[in-house]
Amino acid sequence: MATTATATTHDEPHAARVAMDHKVHPAGVIGFLLVLVAGLAFAGYSIFSDTQQVGETLALGAFAFLGLALVIALGFEFVNGFHDTANAVATVIYTHSLKPVFAVIWSGCWNFVGVMTSTGAVAYTVITLLPVDLILNVGSAGGYAMIFALLLAAVTWNLGTWWFGLPNSSSHALIGSILGVGLANQLLAGPGGTSGVEWSQATNVLLALLVSPVIGFVGSYLLLKLMKKVVPDPQLYAEPKGDAPPPKGIRALLIFTCTAVSFAHGGNDGQKGMGLIMLILIGVAPTAYALNRTMPDASTPQFVQAAAAAQTVFHTKSGGITIAPDQANETLRDALRTKKTDDPKVFAALDATSSQITAELKNYGSIKHVPAAATKNLRNEMYVVYDTLRLMTKDEDKAKQAFPNGGDKTLKDYQKLLETGTRFIPPWVKITVALALGLGTMIGWKRIVVTVGEKIGKTHLTYGMGAAAELMAASTILLAQFKGMPVSTTHILSSGVAGTMVADGAGLQASTVRNIALAWVTTLPAAMAIAGVLYWVFLGIVHTMGMK
């Protein structure tokens, strides 16, 4: 929309001052579409190549089903790009540091880099919120219903809030969808029938989502106050003059902060799509993706040694109880459902299952040589042992007391190898998610940019406000990524902008703040409700089709 600069006061919302309607050259549109098609083709070729290497043949129907699920998963990241990343470019656009079109392309590129350099820790933090039954049986009717329900629920809510220009969090929507599926899964099964939400993990994730906006607001408020004392340059705290860019030093600072937020956003939010895609791949093509077949043969002796050391701890804690291998797996699943792991039977089950895992690895030589028929079973054995150990050792102080004389470290070492064997992300998944997020950044960004740039405060965004809000957002998101926790770029940055407005005495627009707060409060229950209903509907459909 073309706009003109008008005088503003603290009593009236300022008018838009940035012209954002720029015609895109046809060559740009063609290039965009070519990259989009090339990304999807690359994903298809990679799946075909990976399955061929392990001798896994996908029927045409299974391949089409996999393609549809991947398109929806990548669609979530695409929407995430133009929904969440718009926050990163709002400050450079409204301070005239970068032209709008160049700003979103720049941000999209750094989102791509952020995804490519991410570790994958956030991806599996999100996945562990799901019921263990659905994770272990992701290729079942319930697993397929789960995947489509949570993806469509998150995309639906994201698109709805984007349409109204509300800076809603894609992370918030996805986590709400996961919780909705988990609760629906438990309610449909009845008392004691199956597991629901992994509440111990959900509490940590929800706490991160709750605290991060507060950190954004308070941190940005304090940072702007500090900047005014340390760098008392009037130009830094002035509003942009007409369409003129800021002074070179200030402009470089704002471009840097936009880059940092884009990079951090890609590294954190991009991982959520990776985790979902890995679930889909494990369900449809387990031979190729259920185990990390990139682990070298030389890692097998180390794994066997770590398992033997851990079994010594298990045997001591079991009090000499033995349990049959076929009962051990169910015992561990029950322990994960009830979250009660301090039981001699559980340690006996860990001992028996670990013995089974090492026997299979010795027989096949390494993970990459495990045949198709044994892949799913071995993956599930490794997964339940890993998840049980994660519950046992998540509190480091209690773990040291429960497993003295270095027993806690022994279990941690074994847990790390189990994680490496079952939780990996192929390079092509990172590339396609990075493309989806980066390309999404270049589409549909205007609605959110206008809200952040014009409608949060009563005055125009100053250079110092934009820098303080983005520095705080980038550092908070990067810290969360290091800790493996999903946070919301939207919540942190919009709260940061509000904090700087208050610190500057500019005041806030009550209607916008109320709408953002309303979106924040309603996202979780709304996404949960949508996902729960969709899960129920899809479960009925797949059962009608005869799937189990």
Side-chain angles (χ1 to χ4, degrees), residues 69-332:
L70 285 177
V71 166
I72 297 174
L74 292 172
F76 168 78
E77 285 300 340
F78 188 83
V79 174
N80 188 350
F82 69 68
H83 197 296
D84 285 25
T85 314
N87 294 275
V89 298
T91 53
V92 288
I93 290 175
Y94 272 88
T95 56
H96 307 295
S97 299
L98 291 175
K99 295 293 184 183
V101 172
F102 184 82
V104 295
I105 293 174
W106 178 262
S107 179
C109 291
W110 282 99
N111 266 278
F112 183 96
V113 175
V115 175
M116 292 303 299
T117 56
S118 62
T119 62
V122 175
Y124 284 104
T125 296
V126 172
I127 294 306
T128 52
L129 295 175
L130 289 164
V132 65
D133 302 85
L134 293 182
I135 295 176
L136 294 178
N137 298 290
V138 70
S140 65
Y144 292 142
M146 167 193 72
I147 290 168
F148 281 106
L150 66 88
L151 282 174
L152 289 175
V155 170
T156 299
W157 185 254
N158 276 348
L159 287 175
T161 51
W162 164 79
W163 181 257
F164 291 103
L166 294 177
N168 168 64
S169 164
S170 295
S171 303
H172 210 168
L174 178 61
I175 289 166
S177 300
I178 289 173
L179 297 180
V181 167
L183 287 175
N185 183 58
Q186 191 168 24
L187 291 173
L188 291 171
T194 186
S195 61
V197 175
E198 173 56 82
W199 285 113
S200 60
Q201 185 73 356
T203 302
N204 294 331
V205 171
L206 292 174
L207 183 62
L209 287 176
L210 178 65
V211 172
S212 54
V214 178
I215 294 174
F217 182 93
V218 176
S220 299
Y221 176 95
L222 295 175
L223 181 56
L224 185 61
K225 291 285 189 182
L226 179 64
M227 287 170 60
K228 287 186 174 183
K229 289 184 179 293
V230 177
V231 190
D233 183 355
Q235 291 185 95
L236 183 58
Y237 311 104
E239 294 184 11
K241 296 178 181 178
D243 293 331
K248 288 184 179 179
I250 296 173
R251 188 179 189 183
L253 172 64
L254 290 166
I255 293 173
F256 168 76
T257 59
C258 167
T259 303
V261 172
S262 301
F263 175 81
H265 174 264
N268 196 286
D269 278 46
Q271 293 190 55
K272 294 147 195 171
M274 293 181 207
L276 294 174
I277 287 174
M278 288 311 300
L279 268 185
I280 295 166
L281 293 172
I282 290 168
V284 181
T287 305
Y289 300 107
L291 294 172
N292 183 4
R293 295 182 180 273
T294 64
M295 291 183 71
D297 293 353
S299 65
T300 301
Q302 181 187 6
F303 189 99
V304 172
Q305 184 178 1
Q311 283 180 260
T312 301
V313 178
F314 299 150
H315 186 72
T316 301
K317 296 289 288 186
S318 69
I321 296 175
T322 58
I323 190 169
D326 58 336
Q327 295 177 334
N329 194 273
E330 190 57 39
T331 299
L332 294 180

Side-chain angles (χ1 to χ4, degrees), residues 327-531:
Q327 295 177 334
N329 194 273
E330 190 57 39
T331 299
L332 294 180
R333 293 192 187 200
D334 287 339
L336 290 174
R337 292 187 191 105
T338 60
K339 310 300 181 291
K340 296 177 181 178
T341 58
D342 190 14
D343 186 316
K345 289 183 179 179
V346 174
F347 288 105
L350 286 169
D351 191 4
T353 306
S354 295
S355 179
Q356 190 78 6
I357 292 170
T358 53
E360 291 184 59
L361 286 180
K362 286 180 180 179
N363 183 37
Y364 302 127
S366 70
I367 281 181
K368 68 180 180 182
H369 297 306
V370 176
T375 297
K376 182 179 178 181
N377 187 55
L378 179 59
R379 183 250 178 184
N380 285 355
E381 289 172 346
M382 294 174 71
Y383 189 94
V384 293
V385 172
Y386 167 82
D387 236 25
T388 307
L389 290 177
R390 181 179 60 82
L391 286 178
M392 287 179 173
T393 59
K394 67 177 181 179
D395 188 318
E396 293 185 5
D397 292 333
K398 289 183 179 180
K400 287 180 180 179
Q401 294 176 5
F403 309 105
N405 303 319
D408 59 322
K409 184 180 183 303
T410 298
L411 298 188
K412 279 285 188 181
D413 291 343
Y414 182 38
Q415 179 184 335
K416 186 173 180 61
L417 287 170
L418 288 166
E419 182 178 27
T420 304
T422 56
R423 300 186 173 193
F424 76 108
I425 298 173
W428 72 263
V429 172
K430 282 191 174 186
I431 293 171
T432 51
V433 168
L435 282 174
L437 193 63
L439 293 176
T441 302
M442 303 173 195
I443 299 292
W445 46 272
K446 295 179 187 177
R447 293 176 184 271
I448 307 299
V449 164
V450 170
T451 298
V452 175
E454 299 178 21
K455 298 180 179 179
I456 292 179
K458 290 185 176 181
T459 64
H460 197 288
L461 200 69
T462 67
Y463 305 134
M465 288 178 184
E470 290 204 318
L471 280 172
M472 182 52 57
S475 56
T476 303
I477 297 165
L478 288 172
L479 177 62
Q481 183 180 341
F482 176 76
K483 294 289 187 180
M485 298 305 295
V487 291
S488 165
T489 301
T490 301
H491 290 159
I492 297 171
L493 189 53
S494 57
S495 297
V497 171
T500 60
M501 290 287 178
V502 173
D504 201 51
L508 302 173
Q509 294 191 46
S511 59
T512 302
V513 173
R514 183 175 60 248
N515 289 338
I516 292 175
L518 185 62
W520 188 89
V521 171
T522 57
T523 290
L524 201 65
M528 287 174 67
I530 296 171

Side-chain angles (χ1 to χ4, degrees), residues 39-51:
L40 293 173
F42 175 63
Y45 171 79
S46 299
I47 294 169
F48 177 78
S49 176
D50 290 347
T51 53

